[in-house]
Amino acid sequence: MRKQIAAANWKMNLTLKEGLKLINEILEAKIFMEPTQEAVFAVPFPYLIDTKNAIADTPNFYVAAQNCASEKQGAYTGETSAQMINSINIPYVIIGHSERREYYQETNEILAKKINLALANNLTPIFCCGESLKIRQSDKQNEYVQKQLGESLFHLSEEQISKTIIAYEPIWAIGTGLTASSEQAQEMHAHIRKILADKYGSVVAENISILYGGSVKAINAVDIFSQPDVDGGLVGGASLVANEFITIIKSLKKIQ
Ligand code: PGA
């Protein structure tokens, strides 16, 4: 049974005080979660431990790092390794967000190294993929996403890919207010699941959570999450507003 996940990606926003206030407002809502549902908070590195402590008593709430280094350890000033993240008991890490790909030149090859290190250190990677507007306009999005998955993930074993979460985030919908329609999201998610099934078999593919990201908000979450191959969302802007994110968590599908 695949998990339904509402993942907040705070990016480089909020002070620690503001972040903890936001978390507390969300906790105060006492959201009922099914066993198959999770809320994940990808917060800046300096807030990981405090955020983890704040949610410690809340079942189905988890914390994620937003990135990890592509090297194991050593003289890499300013980097944070997968092992370090695991050593403070953080279970998730986002890998390959389009902002990392675009502003920090992270290639599919570099991301393959990060994925390996994340899995080797017991972190669950949330692997992001998705096309630019130009690629979408030339109708090449399916091949483009297939290449991203192939080059960063398809060296993984069946056991490893089963531990990985995928987030489809069309770049043209991130932070722009433009959302892929629920049909566009479903179409790509079904395509991703088919690529996974062709490579790893349908049982494995059926059990991998595929999140949608790109201007998910309280107002469109139910529509997007109700699509059969959409297993929740990776949410930027709207995750910074307590009531928005509370509604987004409540919009996750209920799978018994
Ligand atoms: P957005 O960001 O929800 O602000 O569009 C999503 C993301 O970048 O993960």
Coordinates of all heavy atoms in Angstrom, one line a residue, residues 102-177:
E102 N 18.8 23.9 -11.3 CA 19.0 25.1 -12.1 C 20.1 26.1 -11.5 O 21.0 26.5 -12.2 CB 17.7 25.9 -12.2 CG 17.8 27.0 -13.1 CD 16.4 27.8 -13.2 OE1 15.4 27.3 -12.7 OE2 16.4 28.9 -13.9
Y103 N 20.1 26.3 -10.2 CA 21.0 27.3 -9.6 C 22.3 26.7 -9.1 O 23.2 27.5 -8.9 CB 20.3 28.0 -8.4 CG 18.9 28.6 -8.7 CD1 17.9 28.6 -7.8 CD2 18.7 29.3 -9.9 CE1 16.7 29.1 -8.0 CE2 17.4 29.8 -10.2 CZ 16.4 29.7 -9.2 OH 15.2 30.2 -9.5
Y104 N 22.3 25.4 -8.9 CA 23.6 24.8 -8.4 C 24.1 23.7 -9.3 O 24.9 22.9 -8.9 CB 23.3 24.3 -6.9 CG 22.9 25.4 -6.0 CD1 21.5 25.7 -5.8 CD2 23.8 26.3 -5.5 CE1 21.1 26.8 -5.0 CE2 23.4 27.4 -4.7 CZ 22.1 27.6 -4.5 OH 21.7 28.7 -3.7
Q105 N 23.6 23.8 -10.5 CA 24.1 22.9 -11.6 C 24.1 21.4 -11.2 O 25.1 20.7 -11.4 CB 25.5 23.3 -12.0 CG 25.5 24.6 -12.8 CD 25.3 25.9 -12.0 OE1 26.0 26.0 -10.9 NE2 24.5 26.8 -12.4
E106 N 23.1 21.0 -10.5 CA 23.0 19.5 -10.2 C 22.5 18.7 -11.4 O 21.4 18.9 -11.8 CB 22.2 19.3 -8.9 CG 22.8 20.0 -7.7 CD 22.1 19.6 -6.4 OE1 21.2 18.8 -6.4 OE2 22.6 20.2 -5.4
T107 N 23.4 17.9 -11.9 CA 23.0 17.1 -13.0 C 22.4 15.7 -12.6 O 22.5 15.3 -11.4 CB 24.3 16.8 -13.8 OG1 25.2 16.0 -12.9 CG2 25.0 18.0 -14.3
N108 N 21.9 15.0 -13.6 CA 21.3 13.7 -13.3 C 22.4 12.8 -12.6 O 22.1 12.0 -11.7 CB 20.8 13.0 -14.5 CG 19.5 13.8 -15.0 OD1 18.9 14.5 -14.3 ND2 19.2 13.5 -16.3
E109 N 23.6 12.9 -13.1 CA 24.7 12.1 -12.6 C 25.1 12.4 -11.1 O 25.3 11.5 -10.3 CB 26.0 12.4 -13.5 CG 27.0 11.4 -13.4 CD 28.3 11.9 -14.2 OE1 28.2 12.9 -14.9 OE2 29.3 11.1 -14.2
I110 N 25.1 13.7 -10.8 CA 25.4 14.1 -9.4 C 24.2 13.6 -8.5 O 24.5 13.1 -7.4 CB 25.5 15.7 -9.3 CG1 26.8 16.1 -10.0 CG2 25.4 16.1 -7.9 CD1 26.9 17.7 -10.1
L111 N 23.0 13.7 -9.1 CA 21.9 13.3 -8.3 C 21.9 11.8 -8.0 O 21.4 11.3 -7.0 CB 20.6 13.8 -8.9 CG 20.5 15.3 -9.0 CD1 19.2 15.7 -9.8 CD2 20.5 15.9 -7.7
A112 N 22.4 11.0 -9.0 CA 22.5 9.6 -8.8 C 23.4 9.3 -7.6 O 23.2 8.4 -6.7 CB 23.1 8.9 -10.0
K113 N 24.5 10.1 -7.4 CA 25.4 9.9 -6.3 C 24.7 10.3 -5.0 O 24.9 9.6 -4.0 CB 26.7 10.8 -6.5 CG 27.6 10.4 -7.6 CD 28.7 11.4 -7.9 CE 29.8 11.4 -6.9 NZ 30.8 12.4 -7.2
K114 N 23.9 11.3 -5.0 CA 23.2 11.7 -3.8 C 22.2 10.7 -3.4 O 22.0 10.4 -2.2 CB 22.5 13.1 -4.0 CG 23.4 14.2 -4.2 CD 22.7 15.6 -4.1 CE 23.7 16.7 -4.3 NZ 23.2 18.0 -3.8
I115 N 21.5 10.1 -4.4 CA 20.5 9.1 -4.1 C 21.2 7.9 -3.4 O 20.7 7.3 -2.4 CB 19.8 8.6 -5.4 CG1 18.9 9.7 -5.9 CG2 19.2 7.3 -5.3 CD1 17.5 9.7 -5.3
N116 N 22.4 7.5 -4.0 CA 23.1 6.3 -3.4 C 23.5 6.6 -2.0 O 23.3 5.8 -1.1 CB 24.4 6.1 -4.2 CG 24.1 5.5 -5.6 OD1 22.9 5.1 -5.8 ND2 25.0 5.6 -6.5
L117 N 24.0 7.8 -1.7 CA 24.4 8.1 -0.3 C 23.2 8.2 0.6 O 23.3 7.8 1.7 CB 25.2 9.5 -0.3 CG 26.6 9.3 -0.9 CD1 27.2 10.7 -1.2 CD2 27.5 8.5 0.1
A118 N 22.1 8.8 0.1 CA 20.9 8.9 1.0 C 20.5 7.4 1.4 O 20.3 7.1 2.5 CB 19.8 9.6 0.2
L119 N 20.3 6.6 0.4 CA 19.9 5.2 0.7 C 20.9 4.4 1.5 O 20.5 3.7 2.4 CB 19.6 4.5 -0.6 CG 18.4 5.0 -1.4 CD1 18.4 4.4 -2.8 CD2 17.1 4.6 -0.7
A120 N 22.2 4.7 1.3 CA 23.2 4.0 2.1 C 23.1 4.4 3.5 O 23.6 3.7 4.4 CB 24.6 4.2 1.5
N121 N 22.6 5.6 3.8 CA 22.5 6.1 5.1 C 21.1 6.1 5.7 O 20.8 6.9 6.6 CB 23.1 7.5 5.2 CG 24.6 7.5 5.1 OD1 25.3 7.1 6.0 ND2 25.2 7.8 3.9
N122 N 20.3 5.2 5.2 CA 18.9 5.0 5.7 C 18.0 6.2 5.6 O 17.1 6.4 6.4 CB 19.0 4.5 7.1 CG 19.5 3.1 7.2 OD1 19.1 2.3 6.3 ND2 20.3 2.8 8.2
L123 N 18.3 7.1 4.6 CA 17.4 8.2 4.4 C 16.4 7.8 3.3 O 16.8 7.1 2.3 CB 18.1 9.5 4.0 CG 19.2 10.0 5.0 CD1 19.9 11.2 4.4 CD2 18.5 10.4 6.3
T124 N 15.2 8.2 3.3 CA 14.3 8.0 2.2 C 14.4 9.3 1.3 O 14.1 10.4 1.7 CB 12.8 7.9 2.8 OG1 12.7 6.8 3.6 CG2 11.8 7.8 1.6
P125 N 14.9 9.1 0.1 CA 14.9 10.2 -0.8 C 13.6 10.6 -1.4 O 12.8 9.7 -1.7 CB 15.9 9.7 -1.9 CG 16.2 8.3 -1.7 CD 15.3 7.8 -0.5
I126 N 13.3 11.9 -1.5 CA 12.2 12.4 -2.2 C 12.8 13.0 -3.5 O 13.4 14.1 -3.5 CB 11.4 13.5 -1.4 CG1 10.9 12.9 -0.1 CG2 10.2 14.0 -2.3 CD1 10.2 13.9 0.8
F127 N 12.8 12.2 -4.6 CA 13.5 12.5 -5.8 C 12.6 13.4 -6.7 O 11.5 12.9 -7.1 CB 14.0 11.3 -6.5 CG 14.6 11.6 -7.8 CD1 16.0 12.0 -7.8 CD2 14.0 11.4 -9.0 CE1 16.6 12.3 -9.0 CE2 14.6 11.7 -10.2 CZ 15.9 12.2 -10.2
C128 N 13.1 14.6 -7.0 CA 12.3 15.5 -7.8 C 12.6 15.4 -9.3 O 13.8 15.3 -9.7 CB 12.5 16.9 -7.4 SG 12.1 17.2 -5.7
C129 N 11.6 15.4 -10.2 CA 11.8 15.5 -11.6 C 10.8 16.4 -12.2 O 9.8 16.8 -11.5 CB 11.7 14.1 -12.2 SG 10.1 13.3 -11.9
G130 N 10.9 16.8 -13.4 CA 9.9 17.7 -14.0 C 10.6 18.6 -15.1 O 11.8 18.8 -15.0
E131 N 9.7 18.9 -16.1 CA 10.2 19.6 -17.2 C 10.0 21.2 -17.2 O 9.1 21.6 -16.4 CB 9.5 19.1 -18.5 CG 8.1 19.6 -18.7 CD 7.1 19.0 -17.8 OE1 7.4 18.2 -17.0 OE2 5.9 19.5 -17.8
S132 N 10.8 21.9 -18.0 CA 10.6 23.3 -18.1 C 9.4 23.6 -19.0 O 8.9 22.7 -19.7 CB 11.9 24.0 -18.7 OG 12.0 23.5 -20.0
L133 N 9.0 24.9 -19.1 CA 7.9 25.3 -20.0 C 8.3 25.0 -21.4 O 7.4 24.6 -22.2 CB 7.7 26.8 -19.8 CG 6.5 27.4 -20.5 CD1 5.2 26.6 -20.2 CD2 6.3 28.9 -20.2
K134 N 9.5 25.3 -21.8 CA 10.0 25.1 -23.2 C 9.8 23.6 -23.6 O 9.3 23.4 -24.7 CB 11.5 25.5 -23.3 CG 11.9 25.8 -24.6 CD 13.2 26.6 -24.6 CE 13.9 26.5 -26.0 NZ 15.2 25.8 -25.9
I135 N 10.2 22.7 -22.7 CA 10.1 21.3 -23.0 C 8.6 20.9 -23.1 O 8.2 20.2 -24.0 CB 10.8 20.5 -22.0 CG1 12.3 20.7 -22.1 CG2 10.5 19.0 -22.1 CD1 13.2 20.2 -21.0
R136 N 7.8 21.4 -22.2 CA 6.3 21.2 -22.3 C 5.7 21.7 -23.6 O 4.9 21.0 -24.2 CB 5.7 21.8 -21.0 CG 4.2 21.9 -20.9 CD 3.4 20.6 -20.8 NE 3.7 19.7 -19.6 CZ 2.9 18.7 -19.3 NH1 1.8 18.4 -20.0 NH2 3.2 17.9 -18.3
Q137 N 6.2 22.9 -23.9 CA 5.6 23.5 -25.2 C 6.0 22.7 -26.4 O 5.3 22.7 -27.4 CB 6.0 24.9 -25.3 CG 5.2 25.8 -24.4 CD 5.7 27.2 -24.2 OE1 6.9 27.5 -24.5 NE2 4.9 28.2 -23.8
S138 N 7.1 22.0 -26.4 CA 7.5 21.2 -27.5 C 7.1 19.7 -27.3 O 7.5 18.9 -28.1 CB 9.0 21.4 -27.9 OG 9.7 21.1 -26.7
D139 N 6.2 19.5 -26.3 CA 5.6 18.2 -26.1 C 6.7 17.1 -25.9 O 6.5 16.0 -26.3 CB 4.7 17.9 -27.2 CG 3.7 16.8 -26.8 OD1 3.4 16.7 -25.6 OD2 3.2 16.1 -27.7
K140 N 7.8 17.4 -25.2 CA 8.9 16.5 -25.0 C 8.9 16.1 -23.5 O 9.9 15.5 -23.1 CB 10.2 17.1 -25.4 CG 10.4 17.4 -26.9 CD 10.9 16.2 -27.7 CE 11.3 16.5 -29.1 NZ 10.2 16.7 -30.0
Q141 N 7.9 16.4 -22.7 CA 8.0 16.2 -21.3 C 8.2 14.7 -20.9 O 8.9 14.4 -20.0 CB 6.8 16.8 -20.6 CG 5.5 16.3 -20.9 CD 4.8 16.9 -22.1 OE1 5.5 17.7 -22.8 NE2 3.6 16.7 -22.3
N142 N 7.5 13.8 -21.7 CA 7.6 12.4 -21.3 C 9.0 11.9 -21.4 O 9.5 11.2 -20.5 CB 6.6 11.6 -22.1 CG 5.2 11.8 -21.7 OD1 4.9 12.6 -20.7 ND2 4.2 11.1 -22.3
E143 N 9.6 12.2 -22.5 CA 11.0 11.7 -22.7 C 11.9 12.3 -21.7 O 12.8 11.7 -21.2 CB 11.5 12.1 -24.1 CG 10.8 11.4 -25.3 CD 9.6 12.3 -25.8 OE1 8.8 12.7 -24.9 OE2 9.4 12.4 -27.0
Y144 N 11.7 13.6 -21.5 CA 12.6 14.4 -20.6 C 12.6 13.8 -19.1 O 13.6 13.5 -18.6 CB 12.2 15.8 -20.5 CG 13.1 16.7 -19.7 CD1 14.3 17.2 -20.3 CD2 12.9 17.0 -18.4 CE1 15.2 17.9 -19.6 CE2 13.7 17.8 -17.7 CZ 14.9 18.3 -18.3 OH 15.8 19.1 -17.6
V145 N 11.4 13.5 -18.6 CA 11.3 12.9 -17.3 C 11.8 11.5 -17.3 O 12.5 11.1 -16.3 CB 9.8 13.0 -16.8 CG1 9.6 12.2 -15.6 CG2 9.4 14.5 -16.6
Q146 N 11.6 10.8 -18.3 CA 12.1 9.4 -18.4 C 13.6 9.4 -18.3 O 14.2 8.6 -17.6 CB 11.6 8.8 -19.8 CG 12.1 7.3 -19.9 CD 11.2 6.6 -20.8 OE1 10.3 7.1 -21.5 NE2 11.3 5.3 -20.9
K147 N 14.2 10.4 -19.0 CA 15.7 10.5 -18.9 C 16.2 10.8 -17.5 O 17.1 10.3 -17.0 CB 16.2 11.5 -19.9 CG 17.6 11.6 -20.2 CD 17.9 12.4 -21.5 CE 19.1 13.2 -21.5 NZ 20.4 12.6 -21.4
Q148 N 15.5 11.7 -16.9 CA 15.8 12.1 -15.5 C 15.8 10.9 -14.6 O 16.7 10.6 -13.8 CB 14.9 13.2 -14.9 CG 15.1 14.6 -15.6 CD 14.1 15.6 -15.0 OE1 12.9 15.3 -14.8 NE2 14.6 16.8 -14.7
L149 N 14.7 10.1 -14.7 CA 14.6 8.9 -13.9 C 15.6 7.9 -14.2 O 16.3 7.3 -13.3 CB 13.2 8.3 -14.0 CG 12.0 9.1 -13.6 CD1 10.7 8.4 -13.8 CD2 12.0 9.6 -12.2
G150 N 15.8 7.7 -15.5 CA 16.7 6.7 -16.0 C 18.2 7.0 -15.5 O 18.9 6.1 -15.0
E151 N 18.6 8.2 -15.6 CA 20.0 8.5 -15.3 C 20.3 8.7 -13.8 O 21.4 8.5 -13.4 CB 20.4 9.8 -16.1 CG 20.4 9.6 -17.6 CD 20.9 10.8 -18.4 OE1 21.2 11.8 -17.8 OE2 20.9 10.6 -19.6
S152 N 19.2 9.0 -13.0 CA 19.5 9.1 -11.6 C 19.0 8.0 -10.7 O 19.5 7.8 -9.6 CB 18.8 10.4 -11.1 OG 19.3 11.6 -11.7
L153 N 18.1 7.2 -11.3 CA 17.5 6.2 -10.4 C 17.6 4.7 -10.9 O 17.6 3.8 -10.1 CB 16.0 6.4 -10.2 CG 15.5 7.7 -9.5 CD1 14.0 7.7 -9.4 CD2 16.2 7.9 -8.2
F154 N 17.8 4.5 -12.2 CA 17.6 3.2 -12.7 C 18.8 2.2 -12.5 O 18.7 1.1 -12.9 CB 17.1 3.2 -14.1 CG 15.6 3.5 -14.2 CD1 14.9 3.8 -13.1 CD2 14.9 3.5 -15.4 CE1 13.5 4.1 -13.1 CE2 13.6 3.8 -15.5 CZ 12.9 4.1 -14.4
H155 N 19.8 2.7 -11.8 CA 20.9 1.8 -11.4 C 20.5 1.1 -10.0 O 21.1 0.2 -9.6 CB 22.2 2.5 -11.2 CG 22.1 3.6 -10.2 ND1 21.4 4.8 -10.4 CD2 22.5 3.6 -8.9 CE1 21.5 5.5 -9.3 NE2 22.1 4.9 -8.3
L156 N 19.4 1.6 -9.4 CA 19.0 1.1 -8.1 C 18.4 -0.3 -8.2 O 17.8 -0.7 -9.2 CB 18.0 2.0 -7.4 CG 18.4 3.5 -7.2 CD1 17.2 4.3 -6.6 CD2 19.6 3.5 -6.2
S157 N 18.6 -1.0 -7.1 CA 18.0 -2.4 -7.0 C 16.5 -2.2 -6.7 O 16.0 -1.1 -6.4 CB 18.6 -3.1 -5.8 OG 18.2 -2.5 -4.6
E158 N 15.7 -3.3 -6.9 CA 14.3 -3.2 -6.6 C 14.0 -2.8 -5.2 O 13.1 -2.0 -4.9 CB 13.8 -4.7 -6.8 CG 12.4 -4.8 -7.2 CD 12.0 -6.2 -7.4 OE1 12.5 -6.8 -8.5 OE2 11.3 -6.8 -6.6
E159 N 14.8 -3.3 -4.3 CA 14.7 -2.9 -2.9 C 14.9 -1.4 -2.6 O 14.2 -0.8 -1.9 CB 15.7 -3.8 -2.0 CG 15.3 -3.8 -0.6 CD 16.5 -4.3 0.3 OE1 17.3 -5.1 -0.3 OE2 16.6 -4.0 1.4
Q160 N 15.9 -0.9 -3.3 CA 16.3 0.5 -3.1 C 15.2 1.4 -3.8 O 14.8 2.4 -3.2 CB 17.6 0.8 -3.8 CG 18.8 0.2 -3.0 CD 20.1 0.4 -3.7 OE1 20.2 0.2 -5.0 NE2 21.1 0.9 -3.0
I161 N 14.7 1.1 -5.0 CA 13.7 2.0 -5.6 C 12.4 1.9 -4.8 O 11.7 2.9 -4.7 CB 13.5 1.6 -7.1 CG1 12.7 2.7 -7.8 CG2 12.7 0.3 -7.3 CD1 13.6 3.8 -8.4
S162 N 12.2 0.8 -4.1 CA 11.0 0.7 -3.3 C 11.0 1.6 -2.1 O 10.0 1.9 -1.6 CB 10.8 -0.7 -2.9 OG 10.7 -1.6 -4.0
K163 N 12.2 2.1 -1.8 CA 12.3 3.0 -0.6 C 12.3 4.4 -1.0 O 12.4 5.3 -0.2 CB 13.6 2.7 0.1 CG 13.6 1.4 0.8 CD 15.0 1.2 1.6 CE 15.0 -0.2 2.2 NZ 16.4 -0.7 2.3
T164 N 12.2 4.7 -2.3 CA 12.3 6.0 -2.9 C 10.9 6.6 -3.2 O 10.0 5.9 -3.6 CB 13.2 6.0 -4.2 OG1 14.4 5.4 -3.9 CG2 13.4 7.3 -4.8
I165 N 10.8 7.9 -2.9 CA 9.6 8.6 -3.2 C 9.9 9.5 -4.4 O 11.0 10.1 -4.5 CB 9.1 9.4 -2.0 CG1 8.6 8.5 -0.9 CG2 8.0 10.4 -2.4 CD1 8.5 9.1 0.4
I166 N 9.0 9.7 -5.3 CA 9.2 10.5 -6.5 C 8.3 11.7 -6.4 O 7.1 11.6 -6.0 CB 9.0 9.7 -7.8 CG1 10.1 8.6 -7.9 CG2 9.0 10.6 -9.0 CD1 10.0 7.7 -9.0
A167 N 8.8 12.9 -6.7 CA 8.0 14.1 -6.8 C 8.0 14.7 -8.2 O 9.1 15.0 -8.7 CB 8.4 15.1 -5.8
Y168 N 6.9 14.7 -8.9 CA 6.9 15.3 -10.2 C 6.5 16.8 -10.0 O 5.5 17.1 -9.5 CB 5.8 14.6 -11.1 CG 5.6 15.4 -12.4 CD1 6.6 15.7 -13.3 CD2 4.3 15.9 -12.6 CE1 6.4 16.5 -14.4 CE2 4.1 16.7 -13.8 CZ 5.1 17.0 -14.6 OH 4.9 17.7 -15.8
E169 N 7.5 17.6 -10.5 CA 7.2 19.1 -10.3 C 7.6 19.8 -11.6 O 8.7 20.1 -11.9 CB 8.2 19.6 -9.2 CG 8.0 19.0 -7.9 CD 8.4 19.9 -6.7 OE1 9.6 20.4 -6.7 OE2 7.6 20.2 -5.9
P170 N 6.5 20.0 -12.4 CA 6.8 20.8 -13.6 C 7.3 22.2 -13.3 O 6.7 22.9 -12.5 CB 5.4 20.8 -14.3 CG 4.4 20.5 -13.2 CD 5.1 19.7 -12.2
I171 N 8.5 22.5 -13.8 CA 9.1 23.8 -13.4 C 8.2 25.0 -13.7 O 8.2 25.9 -12.9 CB 10.5 23.9 -14.1 CG1 11.4 22.7 -13.7 CG2 11.2 25.3 -13.8 CD1 12.6 22.6 -14.6
W172 N 7.5 24.9 -14.7 CA 6.6 26.0 -15.1 C 5.5 26.3 -14.1 O 4.8 27.3 -14.1 CB 6.0 25.9 -16.5 CG 5.5 24.5 -16.8 CD1 6.2 23.4 -17.2 CD2 4.1 24.0 -16.6 NE1 5.3 22.3 -17.3 CE2 4.1 22.7 -17.0 CE3 2.9 24.6 -16.2 CZ2 2.9 21.9 -16.9 CZ3 1.8 23.9 -16.1 CH2 1.8 22.5 -16.5
A173 N 5.3 25.3 -13.2 CA 4.2 25.5 -12.2 C 4.7 25.8 -10.8 O 4.0 26.0 -9.9 CB 3.4 24.2 -12.1
I174 N 6.1 25.8 -10.6 CA 6.6 26.1 -9.3 C 6.7 27.6 -9.0 O 7.4 28.3 -9.7 CB 8.0 25.5 -9.2 CG1 8.0 23.9 -9.3 CG2 8.7 25.8 -7.8 CD1 9.3 23.2 -9.3
G175 N 6.0 27.9 -8.0 CA 6.0 29.3 -7.5 C 5.4 30.3 -8.5 O 5.6 31.5 -8.3
T176 N 4.8 29.8 -9.5 CA 4.3 30.7 -10.5 C 2.8 31.0 -10.4 O 2.2 31.9 -11.1 CB 4.5 30.1 -11.9 OG1 3.8 28.9 -12.0 CG2 6.0 29.9 -12.2
G177 N 2.1 30.2 -9.6 CA 0.7 30.3 -9.5 C 0.0 29.4 -10.6 O -1.2 29.2 -10.5

